[in-house]
Amino acid sequence: MDLQRIKNKFQSLFGEGGALYTAPGRINLIGEHTDYNGGFVLPGAIDKAMYCMIKPNGTTDTVKAYALDLEEMDEFQLDDVPIKQWAKYIFGVCLEMIKRGAKIQGFDVVFAGDVPLGAGMSSSAALESCFGFALNDMYNLGFDRFELAKIGQATEHNYVGVKCGIMDQFASCFGKEGSLIRLDCRSLEYEYVPFDPKGYRLVLINTCVEHELASSAYNKRRESCENAASYIRKYHPEVEFLRDATLDMLKEVANEVSAEDYIRAEFVIEEIQRLLDACQALKEGDYETVGKKMYETHIGLSRKYEVSCPELDFLNDVARQCGVTGSRVMGGGFGGCTINLVKDELHDGFIKRATESYEQKFKIKPKVYDVIIKDGARKL
Ligand code: GLA
């Protein structure tokens, strides 16, 4: 990222001063759509991030924000929801902080980033964490990283309309170079899992498609899970989330829940177990098993959770044909990237075949990113 560009723009718009902050996007090795079910996830922060340069502007509540990548300026007040979509993220973070007792005054900011949008790499969480971290530091608000992650998540819920889980914001706030984070999304207990798969590489292939209505479909998945959990709870009061349920418990309510809710819940219960199995395999350095679990996740996401799309399924098939160890759709779905665990010696051949055949079939050039696991939100 060319930080000089941000600095120059900041100076030309707002003059001297300002501090620079950054927060990254994330990958997730396995454990998809488990976070809002109180389950486990295994994300890591990456070397693609959002950056902002910011300073107080002396007003009580006027925000002047410049989105460098879009070359768009917006000015809004902290008591009125802005019109521009990107400004809602900034506004939401401010308001969620104010709700929690923070005193936030007007500020000037320029921001930019290199997390691809709509690629399932959590550009929006990176933006929320970047602003959360920056405002917290600049105004000395005293929020810890847990609270910053929750502020980002609440911004999605209340100002963007996506009822997301905590994974993305957590990874962006807590990321650590070279490590994945095994996070219990109910208790928020977490453990860093060093990730250095010798002989393998982790690579993302971006379909460069983003299917419409992804956010309403996402919220619908969440509702299905909550419905299924509520039926199970009637017989097993200890079941707070699907995370607490077993497949047998789900079977008991098969005649009560809708077929759709049933199959969604089945995926989630299986996915939580897959993640635990993959973590065990990781500990033993058994990447072949990790990869097998990734393929199983893809099948589940595609056929049971139905958040894949022809483009993602195609890339998954190519990975399988090329002998790639593990491959699956990553993140919320409906487009974005596949994440692939591939042996060093197969890497180049796989990338060549996947990109060429994808382009031939869909007439879209996919993008490829080698994953590098980096630190979370910080001041630069
Ligand atoms: C999106 C959401 C996350 C998580 C994933 C799916 O990235 O923001 O909270 O639910 O989808 O695992």
Side-chain angles (χ1 to χ4, degrees), residues 26 28 31-36 122 164-168 218 331-332:
R26 60 109 190 88
N28 184 29
E32 222 63 92
H33 291 274
T34 49
D35 58 354
Y36 53 83
S122 299
C164 66
I166 192 76
M167 166 168 73
D168 306 348
Y218 180 95

